[in-house]
Amino acid sequence: MLLPKRRLKLFLNVADEKNQPVYLKELLERFSARPFGWNRDEVMLQVTHLVLLGKAALSTPNGDLPLKRSYEHFISVRSHSTLRIRRVRQHSEQQVAKAAKLAKDIFNKPFESSEKELANKLLDVLGEWQRLIKEFDFKAKDGNCPGKSTLLTGSRLIASLLELGNNSYALIDGFCQQSKEWQDFAEDFEEVEEFFTRQFDIWQQLRRALNDQFKSNRHALEQNPEAAKALAALQAIYDDKSPYNKLRQVGSLIDQLIAINLQLVEQKRTAALETINATQQGIAPLVADLPAELQNQAMRPFNLLKERVSNSLSLHEIVSLQQEADDEEDKVLELINRYSAELQARLEAEQATARKKAAEPPNSDVGTLREPEPSGSSTTAANNSAATVVNHKPIPKPIELVSPAELLGASHIFIETEQDIDTYLATLRSRLQQAIGQGKRVRIK
């Protein structure tokens, strides 16, 4: 004969398999009547014992009923018809032990062999991994990080188990059914976790090297055999889906590129500074007769260019700054021409004023006859001095730029015959003579 507890458990199992709800009122009526004839309090005691053992669960129309709130429903007769009792499915000891071993292999932690404790520990560890994956996923959004597919797989697996909540049977069952996926994920996640916790700074260094640090000089670096090899190695690591074992090479490769890049920059910087200095020195004699303010205005841009060249790490920028020196030279020549034109205009104005004063008649007294003054008199000397302009410093001659290439014209790109030579030299001579005839200096450029 089955004991009361086993009889109750069997009844709940059969009802659960038939998907039939069982209420406390039904249990009391069934087992207090024939052929059982049990005391109603005994039936309630056995039900309570099953609940405490985790083999049965209570619920009401409002949802699951926690054990600490069940007493009121047990003693209230009105609640017996709505207090549902259902079987809690449980795994065998062998199944729980198998699940605990699987969890230990995957999470590298010991797990308890009781079903409830195993389920609780699983929920805790899954929550920890979920937080880790969210943290790693946030980092992965910044750049082309490896391991994104692994993180996506982990998020899916963890979410599928966490949504089972406190249903320990379903949780363990789902975990065991996904054992192959979990084992594959755990193997990949070990490398991904190592990457985001210990190698992520190296990855950021690699990303900056390729996308920022050497980007401006990459074309020049690729012309250097050693630098090209280092760049190719860094790019291969960056494009690799699983670069974890190769990241240790990044530091030495970047150091190699830094040394080569610095050498190229220093070479280009030295050449640029020499060119700018030569241009500046060629300009200095031309502005020597200008006022101090204009001299500073003419020479300061060259000093600024040299300062920018000394601070620049971009080969393209250094070349561009070197070319700006030619533009600054043209601006200085324009400055000299403007100053010369201003002096010339001032001189012509003074000469016009002097001529006007010389043309004015001398003051005379009305009704008084005066004899002509001798040529050596003071009045005649005053008139002569009025016609004389105050001596000025020599006015700088204007400067005209002549480009020999422009004299060829659009229709003559090449000089091929003796006639082309004669024609070109005649054009050049004519242009030079024209400028000299206008009182200008010529600067060939």
Side-chain angles (χ1 to χ4, degrees), residues 270-283 302-303 306 325:
T270 300
L273 289 175
E274 290 176 354
T275 300
I276 296 174
N277 273 327
T279 304
Q280 187 178 21
Q281 291 172 5
I283 286 295
F302 295 97
N303 295 330
K306 289 190 289 186

Side-chain angles (χ1 to χ4, degrees), residues 356-384:
K356 184 177 180 182
K357 287 182 178 180
E360 292 178 356
N363 293 333
S364 59
D365 296 332
V366 179
T368 303
L369 294 175
R370 301 180 60 184
E371 294 182 1
E373 297 179 355
S375 59
S377 67
S378 60
T379 304
T380 303
N383 290 337
N384 291 337

Side-chain angles (χ1 to χ4, degrees), residues 247-390:
L247 289 174
R248 64 173 66 94
Q249 306 171 18
V250 169
S252 60
L253 290 172
I254 290 179
D255 289 342
Q256 183 180 357
L257 281 174
I258 289 175
I260 297 174
N261 183 67
L262 184 60
Q263 181 181 3
L264 294 176
V265 169
E266 286 297 335
Q267 292 174 352
K268 188 66 67 176
R269 178 183 290 141
T270 300
L273 289 175
E274 290 176 354
T275 300
I276 296 174
N277 273 327
T279 304
Q280 187 178 21
Q281 291 172 5
I283 286 295
L286 301 178
V287 300
D289 295 331
L290 270 59
E293 181 181 354
L294 293 183
Q295 289 185 36
N296 181 64
Q297 182 179 344
M299 304 303 285
R300 188 168 184 273
F302 295 97
N303 295 330
L304 294 178
L305 283 177
K306 289 190 289 186
E307 182 179 346
R308 291 174 62 188
V309 167
S310 298
N311 295 329
S312 177
L313 296 174
S314 168
L315 297 173
H316 176 76
E317 184 181 21
I318 290 174
V319 172
S320 177
L321 292 172
Q322 177 181 334
Q323 293 172 348
E324 283 187 31
D326 292 338
D327 298 333
E328 293 299 334
E329 181 184 19
D330 293 344
K331 292 178 183 178
V332 171
L333 299 183
E334 291 174 3
L335 176 66
I336 294 173
N337 289 342
R338 285 198 304 270
Y339 178 68
S340 176
E342 290 174 3
L343 287 184
Q344 184 65 36
R346 191 184 308 166
L347 176 61
E348 291 175 357
E350 290 178 357
Q351 290 175 342
T353 301
R355 286 194 297 270
K356 184 177 180 182
K357 287 182 178 180
E360 292 178 356
N363 293 333
S364 59
D365 296 332
V366 179
T368 303
L369 294 175
R370 301 180 60 184
E371 294 182 1
E373 297 179 355
S375 59
S377 67
S378 60
T379 304
T380 303
N383 290 337
N384 291 337
S385 63
T388 303
V389 179
V390 178

Side-chain angles (χ1 to χ4, degrees), residues 192-291:
V192 173
E193 184 179 12
E194 175 78 8
F195 169 78
F196 282 104
T197 55
R198 298 185 180 181
Q199 297 179 322
F200 189 69
D201 289 341
I202 299 176
W203 180 261
Q204 293 288 76
Q205 185 182 6
L206 169 61
R207 185 179 62 83
R208 286 193 298 268
L210 292 175
N211 299 331
D212 298 316
Q213 187 175 1
F214 301 112
K215 184 178 181 180
S216 61
N217 298 340
R218 181 155 186 169
H219 178 72
L221 288 169
E222 288 174 342
Q223 310 309 310
N224 182 288
E226 294 182 5
K229 185 177 179 181
L231 279 172
L234 288 177
Q235 190 66 51
I237 295 173
Y238 188 72
D239 295 335
D240 196 336
K241 299 299 182 182
S242 301
Y244 314 111
N245 295 330
K246 302 175 184 177
L247 289 174
R248 64 173 66 94
Q249 306 171 18
V250 169
S252 60
L253 290 172
I254 290 179
D255 289 342
Q256 183 180 357
L257 281 174
I258 289 175
I260 297 174
N261 183 67
L262 184 60
Q263 181 181 3
L264 294 176
V265 169
E266 286 297 335
Q267 292 174 352
K268 188 66 67 176
R269 178 183 290 141
T270 300
L273 289 175
E274 290 176 354
T275 300
I276 296 174
N277 273 327
T279 304
Q280 187 178 21
Q281 291 172 5
I283 286 295
L286 301 178
V287 300
D289 295 331
L290 270 59

Side-chain angles (χ1 to χ4, degrees), residues 375-420:
S375 59
S377 67
S378 60
T379 304
T380 303
N383 290 337
N384 291 337
S385 63
T388 303
V389 179
V390 178
N391 289 331
H392 289 275
K393 293 175 63 177
I395 298 175
K397 290 184 178 181
I399 300 173
E400 181 171 340
L401 289 175
V402 174
S403 172
E406 292 180 358
L407 297 178
L408 287 172
S411 59
H412 292 80
I413 301 177
F414 303 103
I415 294 178
E416 301 180 272
T417 64
E418 291 288 341
Q419 183 179 356
D420 290 341

Side-chain angles (χ1 to χ4, degrees), residues 61-111:
N62 295 326
D64 291 341
L65 182 65
L67 191 60
K68 61 183 180 181
R69 291 174 47 200
S70 62
Y71 178 73
E72 295 178 359
H73 292 269
F74 261 88
I75 64 174
S76 174
V77 177
R78 292 182 179 180
S79 301
H80 289 180
S81 60
T82 58
L83 183 60
R84 182 178 175 180
I85 304 170
R86 70 178 188 277
R87 177 188 69 161
V88 175
R89 300 180 65 186
Q90 291 184 317
H91 293 281
S92 66
E93 292 182 1
Q94 293 81 2
Q95 291 173 320
V96 173
K98 182 180 178 181
K101 184 179 183 305
L102 175 63
K104 180 181 179 181
D105 294 341
I106 290 174
F107 299 107
N108 294 319
K109 293 182 178 181
F111 281 80

